[in-house]
Amino acid sequence: MLAKLLRQPRVAAVKHSLFSTLQPSPPPLEKSALQSLVLSHYRHGKFQSLLQNVVASPSLLLTACHNLRNHASDSPPLPLTLDSLSTHYFSLQELSSQLANNSLDVQSCCISVLPQSRKGDALILPNLKLKVVLEAIRIVLEVIYDDRFVTFCYGGRTNMGRHTAIRYLKNSVENPSWWFSVKFDDQFFQSRHVDNLCLILGQKIDDCDLFDMIRRLFDCGVVSVNLGGICSGRGLPQECTLSWILINVYLNRFDKEIQELRLNTNEENPRFNANELAGSYSIFHKPLKVFAVRYLDEILIITNGTKMMTMDLKKRVVRFLVEELDLKVDRQVTLIHSTVSEKIEFMGMELQAVAPSVLRPRKSQKAIRAHKKHIRQKQVRLMELKNARERTRKKLGMKLLSHVFKKLKQSNGSKLDFQIEDEVRQIFSTWADEVVQEYSTSVDERWEWHRLLSAGDFLSLRRIRDQLPHELVDAYDKFQLQVDKHLKPVKATREMEEEVRRREEEEEESYARRTVEDLTRRCIKVEAPIELLKKAVKMVGFTNQMGRPRPLSLLMVLEDIDIIKWYAGVGRRWLDFYCCCHNFKKVKIIISYHLRFSCILTLAEKHEVTKRAAMVHFTKDLKVSNADGADQVYFPSEREIIMMGDRNLSNPMPVDGALTMALIRLASYEPHHRCTAHFCSRPDTALYRIHLLQNHLDVDPLDEKSWVRGMGAIHDCLERKCAPLCGHHISELYMGRLTLQDLDCTAFVDVD
């Protein structure tokens, strides 16, 4: 009877909790262990009881805690164990028991924050305990679905971010002719969408408790999916990472439909080899292909077929999204554009199809002349070094000979105590070999020596040769043969002429190939929206109406090092985000000129000095002394910016969160609070008040005329909230390496 009771789910969960308290703290799981744990519950074609046996596992919950702490980019001195979590945060064993029994009160783990004006929607924020649950569910869904997503699904996946999608567009899309971007109406997931999502999850998962947990998360508002908005994938507090993978799961049916369409198109239009095209170089075969890229809720479809074919494809795509997935598509914005004559916005960047010569332009005549001038200057410097070496060698040789003769003269024929002749002979032999080798490699010198040794000799005259002994004539002829063999550079001259001719032919072939490619091939050019960047720079206040740098009065209450860090965080985020763009040089100019000098002017106005005095004190690289008195450089230097380019693949966060928020330290004597970064136990904190840009400028982020199109904004409910932060995490926030998603926003305090 007791064994039967222990096999019941709830009693078994309590038994699991009691036994786990007697065991040591489990270590965080590695990727292979996570996969083994999830796959161990795969039976009869579905994953069974994931919430009770996998999500509720203390080792998985501890792994979720480690993930949240690593996102906060800090390793606190207190290690994350079951005992430390129970002492300072919450009981992981109790949370495991609540999840196993499906008795977790989600509503009590959330707080509702109202705007300061009491107008608008409230913001529902999860506490740290619920964030661990959300991360644990995300880990489990990632293990199940990550390998099942299609290759063109980006966002919310490991190593599948924006730059990876840009690399695919640059390297894989060939000769595009038409494209369109699917735009959704601004809509949140309703109960019917959540039910449809659970049905999709039910195809792989058999766990009613997990589906009930997801429904409760949506009902309380802590998890929301906003299609068509501007907050997805930006690190803002009104979104969570679980919603990213739920978007991918919900749109996976659409991805499969597009993938099947692409495969059918490839089968109907196979690719031919160059040898199969009648052997004529003038025949160019362009097979019909369909390309697709999806980053969360942004969808881009590209074809190289006709416009009618693209229109039929767009109708099919829109019909599937509306009828099968019950989504609202903005048909007035979802339009077909020419890839050559029109730019299209995607993932915050501008795309256009151009000729290969636009991406890799040929050298201009001015650049060619500059290159030739550089080569001539280099040759002149080499000649000067050669002459200097010969002069030095001559002086050294004369000194050696003078020293040897002086020693021989002093010896009066007697034997010397040291043998210097062998060393001198070896030095002169080495010099002679170098001179001979240098002359043998120089065609001009060999011609000169050949002319001197073969021209104007009277032994070459027949009437003189007949009067001389045959031995002398034969010796002279042999000498001339050796001169012709070793000094007459006919073969070397012929090789040089062949090299010049081969180089000219290669240049002609390269020019012909580039010309043909420009006429027959189109590539994707990715550019940063410079006009939007200039508008953002002007709206924030980095520049005045004339486009010249100006100070920011909002930041003058900060410390010097915090001002520089704030500017550095904005600049580095822009540089990281747009480093893959073709017009990256223009972005560099905005950072290196507008932001740099705006920071200098802000520091100058704070200290009431001139710009020149501020540049003398902080230097142009904005050096500042830290607490130890050492000079630190946070803002990227001009040389560092010049050397920047297309970096390793990454998923950089947009600048929206760092640009639209300022953290001002309070001069208060409030009792110390624990740092609000995830699992940071440092008590030496200070209060920082959040000031939002939209409230400072009194503009509406939804109004594109007064706001920058496509730039997100932090929810108004966090205006003037105070966040307790330690010195490390406030620095990370200023530098843009940390977002408000990495903080426990429920631990913010209100200070008048």
Side-chain angles (χ1 to χ4, degrees):
M1 185 68 179
L2 178 62
K4 184 177 180 181
L5 285 173
L6 290 177
R7 284 195 296 268
Q8 295 181 3
R10 299 186 182 275
V11 178
V14 175
K15 169 194 167 186
H16 170 74
S17 176
L18 291 174
F19 279 102
S20 59
T21 56
L22 303 177
Q23 296 177 355
S25 176
L29 300 177
E30 300 293 336
K31 183 177 180 180
S32 58
L34 282 172
Q35 293 176 348
S36 301
L37 177 62
V38 175
L39 292 176
S40 63
H41 296 83
Y42 184 77
R43 293 183 294 271
H44 307 294
K46 290 187 178 182
F47 294 91
Q48 309 283 339
S49 304
L50 292 179
L51 182 66
Q52 178 182 355
N53 298 322
V54 180
V55 178
S57 172
S59 58
L60 182 63
L61 294 175
L62 189 61
T63 304
C65 295
H66 277 272
N67 286 356
L68 294 177
R69 185 188 64 174
N70 293 337
H71 291 167
S73 68
D74 184 26
S75 297
L78 183 65
L80 287 182
T81 60
L82 297 181
D83 294 336
S84 63
L85 289 173
S86 301
T87 304
H88 296 88
Y89 300 101
F90 54 87
S91 174
L92 208 63
Q93 294 291 348
E94 181 182 354
L95 177 60
S96 174
S97 175
Q98 291 175 353
L99 291 174
N101 299 328
N102 194 19
S103 60
L104 178 65
D105 188 1
V106 176
Q107 196 70 34
S108 63
C109 297
C110 307
I111 66 169
S112 178
V113 183
L114 295 174
Q116 293 289 333
S117 60
R118 302 295 178 179
K119 296 180 181 179
D121 297 332
L123 178 62
I124 308 299
L125 296 174
N127 61 7
L128 191 57
K129 179 179 178 180
L130 188 56
K131 278 191 173 184
V132 173
V133 176
L134 296 176
E135 178 65 17
I137 296 175
R138 188 201 65 81
I139 292 174
V140 173
L141 293 181
E142 183 181 26
V143 172
I144 296 174
Y145 282 96
D146 193 61
D147 294 335
R148 292 176 169 84
F149 290 142
V150 296
T151 56
F152 57 84
C153 171
Y154 300 92
R157 303 176 61 188
T158 306
N159 299 326
M160 295 288 283
R162 290 179 175 88
H163 286 182
T164 315
I166 293 299
R167 184 187 65 169
Y168 169 76
L169 290 172
K170 288 181 177 179
N171 299 337
S172 301
V173 177
E174 301 176 354
N175 301 316
S177 55
W178 303 96
W179 55 19
F180 62 92
S181 177
V182 179
K183 301 293 184 181
F184 294 101
D185 288 334
D186 194 357
Q187 56 183 324
F188 286 88
F189 264 25
Q190 305 297 326
S191 59
R192 64 180 188 279
H193 298 107
V194 178
D195 294 339
N196 196 7
L197 174 64
C198 293
L199 290 177
I200 296 174
L201 292 172
Q203 297 175 1
K204 295 294 181 183
I205 302 173
D206 185 9
D207 189 354
C208 297
D209 292 341
L210 178 62
F211 300 155
D212 180 65
M213 172 65 70
I214 293 177
R215 286 191 176 93
R216 282 187 288 157
L217 292 173
F218 273 99
D219 291 340
C220 70
V222 71
V223 174
S224 62
V225 175
N226 182 19
L227 298 181
I230 55 175
C231 297
S232 298
R234 298 178 183 270
L236 302 180
Q238 55 263 36
E239 58 173 340
C240 67
T241 55
L242 178 60
S243 61
W244 299 349
I245 193 170
L246 293 180
I247 291 175
N248 290 332
V249 171
Y250 193 83
L251 295 178
N252 191 40
R253 287 180 56 196
F254 169 77
D255 296 341
K256 297 291 185 181
E257 183 73 13
I258 296 297
Q259 182 73 359
E260 183 179 356
L261 175 64
R262 294 180 61 196
L263 294 176
N264 294 336
T265 305
N266 293 337
E267 292 178 359
E268 296 173 0
N269 301 272
R271 179 186 292 274
F272 294 97
N273 296 327
N275 300 329
E276 300 177 3
L277 298 176
S280 175
Y281 65 90
S282 60
I283 298 178
F284 301 97
H285 174 64
K286 296 181 180 179
L288 181 63
K289 299 193 71 175
V290 177
F291 305 94
V293 177
R294 183 178 64 79
Y295 183 85
L296 296 180
D297 60 339
E298 298 184 59
I299 303 173
L300 178 65
I301 308 294
I302 310 172
T303 68
N304 59 358
T306 62
K307 188 173 183 179
M308 295 301 298
M309 175 262 186
T310 310
M311 291 176 63
D312 295 338
L313 177 61
K314 188 189 74 126
K315 293 179 181 178
R316 179 175 177 179
V317 167
V318 173
R319 187 186 308 113
F320 186 89
L321 292 172
V322 174
E323 297 179 359
E324 299 295 331
L325 299 182
D326 195 15
L327 300 176
K328 297 179 181 179
V329 179
D330 191 348
R331 300 175 186 267
Q332 295 181 352
V333 183
T334 307
L335 301 175
I336 297 176
H337 302 275
S338 172
T339 59
V340 178
S341 59
E342 297 177 87
K343 293 182 180 180
I344 193 169
E345 293 185 5
F346 185 65
M347 294 190 301
M349 305 177 194
E350 296 178 349
L351 310 180
Q352 189 178 13
V354 296
S357 60
V358 176
L359 299 178
R360 295 175 292 275
R362 305 164 188 168
K363 286 186 178 181
S364 62
Q365 293 298 324
K366 183 178 179 180
I368 294 174
R369 290 194 300 269
H371 182 66
K372 291 182 178 179
K373 181 180 179 181
H374 172 70
I375 292 177
R376 289 195 299 269
Q377 292 175 349
K378 188 176 180 180
Q379 292 175 350
V380 170
R381 287 194 296 269
L382 291 176
M383 184 61 68
E384 292 176 352
L385 292 175
K386 174 185 174 184
N387 296 336
R389 187 171 62 253
E390 290 180 354
R391 288 194 303 270
T392 305
R393 184 176 293 176
K394 181 179 179 181
K395 292 179 181 179
L396 183 59
M398 295 301 295
K399 288 182 179 180
L400 286 173
L401 290 175
S402 175
H403 180 73
V404 170
F405 288 141
K406 183 178 179 180
K407 291 294 182 181
L408 291 174
K409 186 177 179 180
Q410 293 177 356
S411 64
N412 294 325
S414 61
K415 187 175 181 180
L416 298 175
D417 295 337
F418 56 91
Q419 299 294 330
I420 196 174
E421 294 87 351
D422 295 337
E423 297 180 5
V424 173
R425 187 180 295 108
Q426 183 179 0
I427 292 174
F428 278 96
S429 176
T430 304
W431 289 354
D433 293 340
E434 292 179 1
V435 172
V436 172
Q437 184 179 3
E438 184 178 355
Y439 275 110
S440 63
T441 56
S442 176
V443 177
D444 296 335
E445 296 291 347
R446 290 169 64 182
W447 272 117
E448 181 65 19
W449 278 93
H450 184 270
R451 185 186 64 81
L452 294 175
L453 294 175
S454 61
D457 201 320
F458 67 94
L459 291 178
S460 61
L461 301 177
R462 182 173 295 279
R463 63 178 180 274
I464 301 298
R465 293 168 63 93
D466 295 340
Q467 300 177 14
L468 296 176
H470 292 290
E471 293 81 2
L472 180 60
V473 174
D474 292 342
Y476 172 75
D477 291 341
K478 291 180 180 179
F479 175 73
Q480 289 296 325
L481 289 175
Q482 294 298 322
V483 169
D484 292 342
K485 178 180 179 181
H486 295 285
L487 296 180
K488 192 174 183 180
V490 177
K491 183 177 180 181
T493 305
R494 189 180 300 113
E495 290 178 355
M496 290 180 61
E497 293 176 353
E498 289 291 337
E499 180 68 20
V500 172
R501 185 163 48 253
R502 183 180 61 82
R503 191 180 299 112
E504 292 177 353
E505 291 178 356
E506 288 181 355
E507 290 180 357
E508 292 178 357
E509 291 179 359
S510 177
Y511 177 79
R513 183 174 63 255
R514 289 197 303 264
T515 304
V516 172
E517 285 184 351
D518 287 347
L519 296 174
T520 60
R521 186 183 171 196
R522 290 293 178 267
C523 304
I524 298 296
K525 180 179 69 172
V526 182
E527 287 190 335
I530 297 298
E531 295 301 323
L532 294 180
L533 290 182
K534 291 181 179 179
K535 183 178 179 181
V537 165
K538 186 179 296 185
M539 182 189 69
V540 175
F542 294 135
T543 60
N544 54 20
Q545 295 298 325
M546 300 296 294
R548 296 179 180 177
R550 61 178 296 271
L552 274 179
S553 59
L554 179 63
L555 302 179
M556 292 181 188
V557 296
L558 298 178
E559 298 291 336
D560 295 344
I561 188 172
D562 294 336
I563 294 175
I564 295 175
K565 285 181 179 179
W566 188 87
Y567 276 95
V570 174
R572 288 188 182 275
R573 274 206 179 183
W574 259 332
L575 292 172
D576 292 341
F577 190 82
Y578 294 113
C579 67
C580 60
C581 296
H582 183 257
N583 59 346
F584 188 43
K585 290 183 179 179
K586 296 182 179 179
V587 181
K588 292 180 180 179
I589 293 174
I590 294 176
I591 306 303
S592 185
Y593 174 63
H594 295 95
L595 265 68
R596 183 187 304 277
F597 282 95
S598 176
C599 182
I600 293 174
L601 291 173
T602 302
L603 294 170
E605 186 166 337
K606 174 188 174 183
H607 296 284
E608 298 180 353
V609 296
T610 62
K611 182 181 74 172
R612 182 177 297 274
M615 290 182 64
V616 170
H617 180 76
F618 295 99
T619 72
K620 204 173 181 179
D621 292 334
L622 294 171
K623 294 182 180 179
V624 64
S625 299
N626 57 10
D628 300 331
D631 289 340
Q632 295 286 338
V633 178
Y634 298 99
F635 198 93
S637 63
E638 290 184 331
R639 181 176 181 82
E640 183 182 355
I641 292 177
I642 291 174
M643 298 302 293
M644 285 181 179
D646 198 353
R647 301 177 179 176
N648 297 330
L649 299 178
S650 61
N651 186 24
M653 283 290 181
V655 74
D656 306 2
L659 186 64
T660 59
M661 178 186 65
L663 293 169
I664 309 299
R665 181 171 180 173
L666 298 183
S668 63
Y669 298 95
E670 294 290 331
H672 288 292
H673 301 78
R674 182 180 288 111
C675 180
T676 55
H678 294 159
F679 300 106
C680 178
S681 59
R682 293 178 58 175
D684 52 335
T685 59
L687 291 178
Y688 292 85
R689 191 183 296 278
I690 298 176
H691 291 270
L692 301 181
L693 178 66
Q694 61 266 28
N695 295 328
H696 177 69
L697 301 177
D698 195 16
V699 296
D700 184 8
L702 300 178
D703 185 10
E704 293 186 357
K705 293 182 179 180
S706 57
W707 195 255
V708 180
R709 186 179 73 251
M711 187 172 77
I714 300 174
H715 202 282
D716 290 338
C717 297
L718 298 182
E719 172 68 18
R720 301 188 63 80
K721 294 293 181 180
C722 295
L725 292 167
C726 62
H728 173 78
H729 285 111
I730 186 60
S731 177
E732 295 293 295
L733 271 173
Y734 281 135
M735 292 295 293
R737 293 190 286 263
L738 205 66
T739 65
L740 290 183
Q741 267 191 348
D742 303 313
L743 304 182
D744 183 11
C745 297
T746 60
F748 289 174
V749 296
D750 294 322
V751 179
D752 296 332

